[in-house]
């Protein structure tokens, strides 16, 4: 009797297990079908954009073709440039520009033949241009010299005079300015004064320093031009 019950219980348990297996199998099949249906229903939607995409792709050639309008606009530009007036070219200038005339060269101060070269100590050398260049009054002459080269007479002098430095410069200025010279400051060592006197190509440079006794010592170098060579 017990054996029969065990057999019946075993059959019942087997049937129950089979039923449970069928139920799980159905549950496994339904999600798969649902997923398939969702994917099939989604495919038309996914396929939907493709015409639009193809349309955009089609629009691509149109956009790439749009530059074709460029030549037409370029053609219009070419037409505008062809209708533009040609540039006006100014005629060459043939007239000579006018302005202030160049200053004429100063006439030579010296006339005739230049003196022979020479020098003197404690005196004015022969041939010194005293009518143009005079030494300050009261000068104790150290030396003077003259030498000619072509049409240029070079003169040198040095001496001591009991006057301030500026007074010595003023004496030379008073001698040269009436002959057309103008003056400007020249470089000088510390404690000294120098001036340059210019008339065309004629120049005289004077440098003045102070001696230990308070007197002024000057040194002169000049170039004067003559009318003859």
């Amino acid at each position: 009797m017990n054996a029969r019950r065990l057999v019946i219980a075993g059959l019942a348990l087997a049937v129950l297990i089979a039923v449970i297996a069928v139920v799980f199998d159905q549950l496994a099949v339904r999600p798969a079908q649902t997923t398939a249906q969702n994917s099939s229903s989604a495919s038309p939607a996914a396929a939907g954009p493709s015409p639009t995409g193809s349309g955009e792709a089609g629009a691509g050639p149109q956009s790439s073709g749009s530059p074709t309008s460029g030549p037409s606009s370029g053609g219009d530009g070419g037409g505008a440039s062809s209708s533009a007036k040609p540039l006006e070219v100014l005629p060459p200038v043939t007239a000579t520009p006018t302005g202030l005339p160049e200053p004429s060269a100063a006439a030579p101060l010296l006339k005739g033949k230049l003196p022979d070269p020479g020098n003197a100590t404690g005196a004015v050398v022969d041939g010194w241009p005293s009518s143009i260049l005079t030494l300050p009054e009261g000068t104790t002459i150290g030396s003077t010299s003259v030498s000619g080269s072509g049409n240029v007479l070079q003169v040198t002098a040095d001496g001591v005079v009991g006057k301030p430095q500026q007074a010595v410069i003023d004496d030379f200025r008073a001698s040269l300015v009436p002959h057309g010279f103008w003056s400007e400051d020249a470089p000088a060592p510390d404690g000294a004064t120098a001036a340059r006197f210019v008339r065309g190509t004629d120049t005289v440079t004077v440098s003045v320093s102070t001696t230990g006794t308070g007197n002024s010592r000057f040194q002169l170098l000049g170039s004067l031009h003559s009318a003859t060579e």
Side-chain angles (χ1 to χ4, degrees):
M1 190 66 181
N2 290 334
R4 184 178 180 182
R5 289 180 178 178
L6 289 175
V7 172
I8 294 172
L11 292 174
L13 181 60
V15 172
L16 180 61
I17 293 172
V19 171
I20 293 173
V22 171
V23 171
F24 277 105
D25 186 39
Q26 292 295 327
L27 292 176
V29 172
R30 286 182 180 179
Q33 293 178 352
T34 303
T35 303
Q37 291 177 357
N38 291 336
S39 60
S40 61
S41 61
S43 59
S50 60
T52 307
S54 62
E56 292 177 354
Q62 294 178 0
S63 60
S64 62
S66 60
T68 55
S69 61
S72 62
S73 61
D76 296 339
S81 60
S82 61
S83 61
K85 294 182 179 180
L87 295 177
E88 296 181 359
V89 180
L90 296 177
V93 178
T94 56
T96 303
T98 59
L100 295 176
E102 294 183 0
S104 57
L109 289 173
L110 303 177
K111 305 294 183 182
K113 183 182 177 181
L114 296 180
D116 295 331
N119 59 77
T121 300
V124 177
V125 67
D126 291 339
W128 182 267
S130 55
S131 62
I132 300 169
L133 180 58
T134 59
L135 303 181
E137 186 178 355
T139 296
T140 301
I141 299 174
S143 65
T144 57
S145 68
V146 293
S147 63
S149 176
N151 66 332
V152 179
L153 177 66
Q154 292 184 344
V155 297
T156 64
D158 67 86
V160 177
V161 59
K163 293 182 178 181
Q165 294 181 9
Q166 190 59 49
V168 177
I169 296 293
D170 291 341
D171 284 349
F172 282 108
R173 182 179 290 108
S175 173
L176 295 170
V177 168
H179 297 283
F181 286 84
W182 56 271
S183 64
E184 63 180 358
D185 294 337
D190 292 341
T193 303
R196 182 184 296 110
F197 300 91
V198 182
R199 178 187 180 273
T201 55
D202 299 325
T203 61
V204 176
T205 302
V206 180
S207 177
V208 186
S209 60
T210 302
T211 67
T213 59
N215 294 324
S216 294
R217 179 185 299 276
F218 67 83
Q219 293 180 321
L220 179 148
L221 174 64
S223 296
L224 306 176
H225 289 72
S226 173
T228 59
E229 297 187 0

